Amino acid sequence: MFATPRAVRITTDECLSGYIAAYNKLLPISSEKKKDLLDLLPLIPPVYHSFYKDLRCTDQEDIDPDLIDNTV
């Protein structure tokens, strides 16, 4: 009598496929904003910590992250 509705999962790539990126890299944030975000790390799951720690600041030199020695 009635057709059963089908659930269709749409991926993020499919949702965003019609959009063009406005920037080719992340925009830097102020040092104060980064400090505030890093102060919130105890409330953020550890899996996301590297994202916040790696955010670029407006007063930071543009250094290729592959050239930084992270073994120290």
Side-chain angles (χ1 to χ4, degrees), residues 48-68:
Y48 301 115
H49 286 195
S50 64
F51 171 80
Y52 292 99
K53 290 178 182 177
D54 294 340
L55 286 172
R56 308 279 310 156
C57 295
T58 52
D59 59 348
Q60 209 173 13
E61 292 181 34
D62 191 20
I63 299 173
D64 186 348
D66 293 332
L67 300 176
I68 298 173

Side-chain angles (χ1 to χ4, degrees), residues 10-72:
I10 299 173
T11 66
T12 303
D13 290 339
E14 291 171 330
C15 289
L16 301 177
S17 64
Y19 295 99
I20 298 171
Y23 304 98
N24 57 4
K25 61 182 179 179
L26 291 177
L27 295 179
I29 60 174
S30 69
S31 298
E32 295 83 12
K33 185 174 284 190
K34 182 174 180 177
K35 181 194 171 300
D36 290 341
L37 288 169
L38 293 178
D39 288 342
L40 295 172
L41 284 181
L43 305 173
I44 299 171
V47 68
Y48 301 115
H49 286 195
S50 64
F51 171 80
Y52 292 99
K53 290 178 182 177
D54 294 340
L55 286 172
R56 308 279 310 156
C57 295
T58 52
D59 59 348
Q60 209 173 13
E61 292 181 34
D62 191 20
I63 299 173
D64 186 348
D66 293 332
L67 300 176
I68 298 173
D69 184 12
N70 291 327
T71 60
V72 183

